[in-house]
Amino acid sequence: MNGAKNISASLRGNIDNFNLDIEFTMPLVGITALFGPSGCGKTTILRCLAGLHKLHGRVAIGDEIWQDENKFTKPHERSVGYIFQEENLFSHLSVRENLDYGANRARKHHLKETFHFDDVVDLLGIKHLLDRSTVSLSGGERQRIAIGRAILAQPRLLLMDEPLSALDQKSKTGIFYCFERLHEEFNLPVLYVSHDIDEVSKLADHIIAIDNGRKIGEGPTADIMAQLNLRTSVSARIIRHDPDQKLTWIDYNGQTLSIPLLDSEIDTRLKIDIRSD
């Protein structure tokens, strides 16, 4: 990858007896997943990129160096938006005031306004919430506000640490739609931490797979899923049976697929495992 068109990191050292030794690059566009089991170092890497942990190595975003042997940019000087598992909204402020907090932070640091208030509100579908208290919001709504606040701080990089883990399925579906629009409409790179391969397969263009503080794979999502023999599952619906051919026909997102004959009623929903071979 061209250095000016990617984010690169090389980090090594120990934090609380955990050893991290990793080097990776990610595109300056789209969603990159930092994928691996719990405890493998994903959050530690995010905190290093945000400047909250200091290990030996180098971090660069495009042609701007945040860390090397001669330099360490402080956290408040790094143009990073950080989305946590918990939303961390200001409960004494309205939705609009929470969003304005991010915008005011950008103005304080004289950052160019690339992401405009009305555009962010439209993308996240939160216009009807602007005058509400954050205390009265659902988990999914609160997470949308947290994402909006982070984007309005005008980051060059958005870090997301398992932002869907505390949400129910309906809320997750809504956030997924927001992520798709974020990917399509805003030229903002996202590093997305998850241990859920279903999330990763749906969201990410690029995967950095890690285990025990080490990189075990890096590249386009389909390639890494095939390389690591990862499986994901999808929801499908039975639409008809063909006993003569011993086949059951299912519908998945408008596509008709055949599988070995099942003894289940029409319209039954199934979970189908898919492996990238």
Side-chain angles (χ1 to χ4, degrees):
M1 291 184 184
N2 186 315
K5 296 181 179 179
N6 68 75
I7 296 165
S8 61
S10 176
L11 300 162
R12 61 190 183 282
N14 293 289
I15 296 176
D16 297 330
N17 296 320
F18 179 81
N19 180 260
L20 184 71
D21 188 354
I22 192 166
E23 182 174 346
F24 65 85
T25 59
M26 61 174 278
L28 261 174
V29 294
I31 298 175
T32 297
L34 194 58
F35 171 75
S38 297
C40 69
K42 302 185 298 294
T43 296
T44 298
I45 292 170
L46 288 197
R47 292 180 64 83
C48 287
L49 294 179
L52 301 173
H53 286 327
K54 184 177 181 180
L55 295 180
H56 296 293
R58 185 177 188 274
V59 176
I61 178 164
D63 54 9
E64 180 183 347
I65 296 174
W66 283 353
Q67 175 184 341
D68 63 13
E69 63 274 13
N70 301 313
K71 177 180 182 179
F72 185 83
T73 303
K74 296 178 181 179
H76 67 275
E77 296 174 338
R78 300 191 184 200
S79 186
V80 166
Y82 205 139
I83 310 296
F84 301 89
Q85 294 179 24
E86 299 298 329
E87 315 88 3
N88 293 326
L89 299 179
F90 299 117
S91 59
H92 64 290
L93 300 179
S94 69
V95 168
R96 185 187 298 274
E97 289 167 334
N98 268 274
L99 296 172
D100 283 340
Y101 180 87
N104 291 336
R105 181 173 179 267
R107 285 190 285 269
K108 179 181 177 181
H109 292 283
H110 308 290
L111 300 177
K112 180 182 177 183
E113 187 180 355
T114 302
F115 311 113
H116 305 293
F117 186 93
D118 289 345
D119 294 336
V120 173
V121 167
D122 175 68
L123 181 142
L124 295 172
I126 54 175
K127 186 176 181 179
H128 64 294
L129 302 175
L130 291 177
D131 296 322
R132 295 263 300 273
S133 164
T134 60
V135 177
S136 66
L137 303 180
S138 68
E141 289 169 338
R142 290 173 61 84
Q143 196 60 282
R144 291 186 191 215
I145 308 311
I147 293 168
R149 186 177 64 182
I151 294 173
L152 287 168
Q154 309 302 320
R156 294 192 65 193
L157 170 64
L158 198 58
L159 305 175
M160 293 190 175
D161 193 354
E162 303 209 48
L164 305 182
S165 61
L167 302 182
D168 58 32
Q169 190 57 50
K170 182 178 178 180
S171 297
K172 285 184 179 182
T173 301
I175 297 288
F176 263 90
Y177 175 69
C178 292
F179 287 160
E180 289 173 357
R181 290 193 63 194
L182 175 66
H183 182 20
E184 293 169 359
E185 299 180 27
F186 288 178
N187 188 24
L188 176 61
V190 177
L191 184 57
Y192 186 95
V193 159
S194 181
H195 64 271
D196 186 332
I197 189 56
D198 290 341
E199 282 185 20
V200 167
S201 65
K202 292 181 178 75
L203 283 176
D205 314 292
H206 190 86
I207 292 179
I208 301 162
I210 63 173
D211 190 22
N212 197 29
R214 307 292 191 274
K215 182 178 73 176
I216 59 173
E218 177 183 342
T221 296
D223 293 351
I224 297 304
M225 289 185 66
Q227 176 185 325
L228 301 180
N229 198 26
L230 297 171
R231 293 175 181 265
T232 186
S233 61
V234 299
S235 177
R237 180 177 60 88
I238 294 176
I239 54 176
R240 65 183 175 91
H241 298 295
D242 188 336
D244 293 337
Q245 296 189 47
K246 297 183 178 180
L247 294 175
T248 290
W249 293 87
I250 60 174
D251 174 80
Y252 165 61
N253 282 355
Q255 298 182 60
T256 301
L257 308 173
S258 63
I259 59 175
L261 185 65
L262 298 177
D263 183 18
S264 300
E265 294 182 0
I266 302 300
D267 286 332
T268 299
R269 298 204 72 86
L270 308 170
K271 283 286 189 180
I272 307 294
D273 285 338
I274 296 178
R275 185 178 68 193
S276 295
D277 286 326

